[in-house]
Structures are given as structure tokens and as C-alpha cells.
């Protein structure tokens, strides 16, 4: 499954290759000051615990569970009782993990589902009462900034601009990034020029278009719908013109993109260290998309990089990717298996470094 953790919320066993978040790092024990970040999205609940290492961090613990918090939201404008129950159960598991491990700083955020739901604030009050966790609803801009933060180490000094996209459950964020100057301490500074958040994510599209995305006609209709949103953003920032001038890196961070990479690499089982940071020729990514489409529902459910829990979401996500590919024909795609959690951890660690304090660890939320 395209995530950095096992599907039942248990940490992935250590592999021979190191995990990389800005610097070569490896999975570790509980020594040293730890930081924790939680991302409650429209489809997933994810927790990541890391300890500083060089210019980045090493993974201490992690958790991921599909909760489908945004199920039915587009039709009703509210989070359903069943969806909230699933999310609270996952958050309770995260709370138990954190209670067993002292951390120096902890941050939790909620994204599109809680932004849009009329009962979003009431749900988060319930979360705090039942789990002790206090997720903060972040704006689409902050979501784009955190994704940029986590993906900045993938930029190189020859890049003038970067186009970063994150295909989420309830929305898709596009960030247009300036890369000024040369690398500093192994990382290239990045600046957000502009961003757009489209209310078109894998869950919202799957609920609206349903089985039609498994047909050529239905898939093409979604591609064109998304492409029209992208063209409006392109007209504001003249991104196509910049691409023609060269030096623009296309970076994708989402389950859709990591799935494409897993298929392109013919992985018998999804492995993050083999995918994160991988640069694919765009023709290779296109072929992987075609291979996924040809599998059909049964084939997708059986595929080791998809699975039955994600079978309804893969092709809507691929349609969003295909629209990005149509509007912005960049020759390569950089795959990023990193996102909001990694961005939050890097921010917390950097803030402590700037203040010269790593002090003793403390329990989360205190």
C-alpha cells in the first residue's frame, strides 16, 4: 500500500534502505528529543514521530489508517456519524501511542473535510474530549506551504521553479514555487509564489463520478473538468511559458503519484525508500497510468500497490494527474512520499534549532 506504514496502523518493519527526509536517516529507537505530527485528512489519519538527525529527522514511530472522514460530505455538507466514529477510533490509537512516548513538541492538523463540514468544529471538540488531541484546522495555503516545506529537499540548484501538486481526499492543492539561489546546508530555499486549492480530491470525485471513471469517456470528462481549473491558474502565473523556458521541476506528493511510481517500478510490494525522491520520465509515468486503467476494478483491488481499500480512489486520482500532465507538459515527474506531517516535523525541529534548545522531552499536549 502506498504509505510509509502498514495498513493496520503498525510501523513498517525496518528495510535495508534508509528513509530520507532531507538527509540520509534510519529508523531508530526512542532516544533523544522526539517530535510528533498528526494529519487528519479527508481519507486518512496519519501520525509521524521523528527525532532530529543532521539537517532532517529519523523516524521513531508512525501510524496510518484509512478513515474516510469525508464520506458523504459533498452531498450533505456534514461529517457523518459513522465517519466521525472511524476517525475518533484512529485518533484514540494515536493518542495511546503518544501517551507511551514522551515528545518535545506535538502538532495536529485537520484539512479539507473539517474545513468544509458544518459540524467540523463540533467534531473536533468531540475529538479533544475523547482523545485529548486538539487538531487545528489549517487553511489551504498553509497546507500548500507544509507540502512545500517537506518537498524542498528534493529540489536541486539547477531548478528555477517548481510545480508541486498534492492530490488529497477532499481537494487538490497546486503550489507554484520560486527556487532562489544555491543550496544551503544541503537544502534549497523555496518561496511560494502562488497556490490554488481545487475542491476535487479522490474521495469527492469517486463519490460524484462513481464507476464512470472506469470508462474512457468518464475518465476523459474528469480530466477535462480538472484541466479547466488548472488553465485558470496557469493564466495568472504563466506557468506554461516558464516550463518552455526550462528549469521547472514537477513534484507530486499523494497516494496517486506514489502508486504510479510503484507500478512503473514493478514493485511486488510498495516500499517507500524505493519511491520517495524517484524521478520518472513522464512517458514512464504515463505508461503506469495506462497500466492501472487497463486493470479494471478487480485488477486494481488485487494489485500490491493499490488494494481493495483504495480501489475506488485510484482512477479519480489518475484523472487529476492526467489533467496536470495535459496542461503542464514537464519532461519528468519527481515522486514525493512525504507531505504535511514531514513539513510539520521539519518546522518544529528548525524552530528549536534557531532558539538553541533541545531540552528534555515532555508528554504531548502539555
Amino acid at each position: 500500500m502506498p504509505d510509509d506504514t502498514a495498513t493496520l496502523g503498525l510501523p513498517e518493519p525496518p528495510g535495508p534502505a534508509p528513509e530520507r527526509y532531507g538527509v540520509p536517516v534510519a529508523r531508530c529507537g526512542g532516544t533523544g528529543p522526539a517530535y510528533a505530527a498528526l494529519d487528519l485528512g479527508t481519507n486518512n489519519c496519519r501520525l509521524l514521530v521523528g527525532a532530529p538527525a543532521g539537517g532532517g529527522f529519523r523516524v521513531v514511530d508512525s501510524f496510518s489508517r484509512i478513515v474516510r472522514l469525508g464520506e458523504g460530505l459533498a452531498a450533505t455538507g456534514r461529517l457523518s456519524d459513522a465517519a466521525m466514529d472511524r476517525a475518533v477510533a484512529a485518533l484514540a490509537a494515536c493518542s495511546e501511542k503518544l501517551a507511551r512516548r514522551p515528545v518535545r513538541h506535538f502538532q495536529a492538523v485537520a484539512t479539507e473535510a473539517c474545513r468544509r463540514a458544518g459540524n467540523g468544529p463540533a467534531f473536533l471538540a468531540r475529538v479533544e474530549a475523547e482523545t485529548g488531541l486538539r487538531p487545528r484546522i489549517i487553511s489551504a495555503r498553509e497546507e500548500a506551504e507544509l507540502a512545500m516545506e517537506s518537498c524542498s529537499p528534493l529540489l536541486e540548484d539547477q531548478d528555477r521553479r517548481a510545480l508541486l501538486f498534492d492530490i488529497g481526499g477532499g481537494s487538490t492543492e497546486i503550489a507554484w514555487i520560486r527556487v532562489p539561489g544555491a543550496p544551503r546546508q544541503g537544502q534549497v530555499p523555496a518561496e511560494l509564489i502562488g497556490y490554488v486549492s481545487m475542491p476535487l480530491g479522490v474521495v469527492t470525485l469517486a463519490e460524484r463520478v462513481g464507476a464512470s471513471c472506469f470508462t474512457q469517456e468518464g475518465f476523459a470528462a474528469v480530466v477535462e473538468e480538472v484541466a479547466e481549473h488548472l488553465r485558470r491558474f496557469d493564466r495568472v502565473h504563466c506557468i506554461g511559458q516558464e516550463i518552455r523556458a526550462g528549469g521547472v521541476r514537477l513534484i507530486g506528493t499523494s497516494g496517486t503519484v506514489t502508486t504510479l511510481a510503484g507500478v512503473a517500478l514493478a514493485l511486488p510490494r510498495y516500499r517507500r525508500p524505493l519511491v520517495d525522491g524517484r524521478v520518472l520520465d513522464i512517458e514512464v509515468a504515463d505508461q503506469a497510468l495506462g497500466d492501472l486503467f487497463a486493470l479494471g476494478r478487480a485488477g486494481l483491488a488485487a494489485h500490491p500497490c493499490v488494494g481493495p481499500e483504495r480501489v475506488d480512489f485510484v482512477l479519480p486520482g489518475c484523472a487529476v494527474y492526467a489533467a496536470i500532465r495535459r496542461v503542464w507538459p514537464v519532461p519528468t515527474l519527481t515522486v514525493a512520499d512525504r507531505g504535511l506531517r514531514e513539513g510539520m516535523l521539519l518546522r518544529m525541529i528548525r524552530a528549536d534549532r534557531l532558539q538553541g534548545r533541545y531540552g528534555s522531552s515532555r508528554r504531548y499536549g502539555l
Side-chain angles (χ1 to χ4, degrees):
M1 301 293 286
D3 198 270
D4 62 343
T5 54
T7 57
L8 296 179
L10 300 174
E12 185 181 37
E19 298 193 47
R20 299 177 184 273
Y21 293 91
V23 296
V25 297
R27 211 172 271 278
C28 71
T31 59
Y35 298 74
L38 186 148
D39 170 20
L40 178 60
T42 301
N43 201 40
N44 293 278
C45 174
R46 296 187 175 108
L47 172 72
L48 191 63
V49 183
F57 63 86
R58 60 186 181 272
V59 174
V60 173
D61 202 355
S62 57
F63 173 97
S64 180
R65 184 177 295 172
I66 293 175
V67 296
R68 305 192 310 279
L69 179 60
E71 185 177 58
L73 173 62
T76 66
R78 297 178 63 81
L79 304 174
S80 71
D81 290 340
M84 289 188 290
D85 289 345
R86 289 192 298 265
V88 168
L91 290 165
C94 292
S95 180
E96 290 173 5
K97 274 183 171 287
L98 291 166
R100 295 192 298 267
R101 181 184 301 280
V103 296
R104 178 170 178 79
H105 289 301
F106 168 67
Q107 290 185 6
V109 300
T111 56
E112 183 69 7
C114 290
R115 282 199 296 261
R116 293 178 57 192
N119 58 342
F123 164 66
L124 293 181
R126 174 190 167 187
V127 167
E128 181 174 0
E130 295 187 23
T131 71
L133 304 179
R134 299 185 289 274
R136 172 176 62 91
I137 299 176
I138 61 173
S139 67
R141 180 183 180 90
E142 185 172 356
E143 194 170 347
E145 288 172 340
L146 286 168
M148 181 181 71
E149 181 96 26
S150 68
C151 292
S152 288
L154 300 177
L155 297 171
E156 297 180 4
D157 56 344
Q158 69 266 27
D159 298 328
R160 297 187 306 107
R161 300 283 189 272
L163 187 61
L164 172 64
F165 64 93
D166 182 359
I167 305 171
S171 63
T172 295
E173 275 66 48
I174 308 287
W176 180 229
I177 298 165
R178 179 183 293 112
V179 187
R184 292 190 306 218
Q185 297 179 347
Q187 294 191 16
V188 179
E191 175 188 352
L192 185 65
I193 302 172
Y195 77 98
V196 64
S197 180
M198 303 181 295
L200 301 168
V202 298
V203 174
T204 52
L205 285 171
E207 290 184 350
R208 179 158 61 83
V209 302
S212 70
C213 224
F214 287 85
T215 68
Q216 292 281 357
E217 183 179 359
F219 188 89
V222 175
V223 172
E224 182 53 35
E225 177 185 356
V226 177
E228 187 51 42
H229 283 266
L230 300 177
R231 292 185 190 107
R232 291 196 288 269
F233 186 65
D234 182 83
R235 286 193 288 269
V236 173
H237 294 285
C238 302
I239 297 170
Q241 180 177 330
E242 293 282 0
I243 290 171
R244 289 188 291 274
V248 176
R249 181 177 295 271
L250 180 66
I251 305 176
T253 170
S254 66
T256 297
V257 176
T258 56
T259 298
L260 286 172
V263 172
L265 298 171
L267 297 181
R269 172 180 175 270
Y270 183 83
R271 290 189 57 208
R272 181 189 182 278
L274 299 179
V275 170
D276 183 53
R278 175 77 63 161
V279 178
L280 299 177
D281 288 339
I282 211 70
E283 293 81 7
V284 173
D286 289 349
Q287 181 60 53
L289 189 157
D291 292 344
L292 283 169
F293 188 86
L295 286 173
R297 180 180 294 276
L300 289 172
H303 197 284
C305 291
V306 181
E309 285 190 305
R310 299 180 60 248
V311 67
D312 291 320
F313 306 134
V314 171
L315 292 186
C318 285
V320 176
Y321 163 75
I324 293 168
R325 167 84 172 89
R326 174 184 295 180
V327 176
W328 296 308
V330 177
T332 61
L333 169 65
T334 298
V335 180
D337 190 346
R338 54 181 76 195
L340 303 190
R341 299 173 302 164
E342 292 82 1
M344 287 189 284
L345 286 180
L346 290 171
R347 279 188 176 182
M348 286 185 277
I349 292 169
R350 186 175 64 247
D352 271 6
R353 279 202 180 106
L354 291 174
Q355 296 180 34
R357 55 190 176 104
Y358 270 145
S360 59
S361 300
R362 59 189 177 124
R363 295 287 176 181
Y364 78 95
L366 300 178

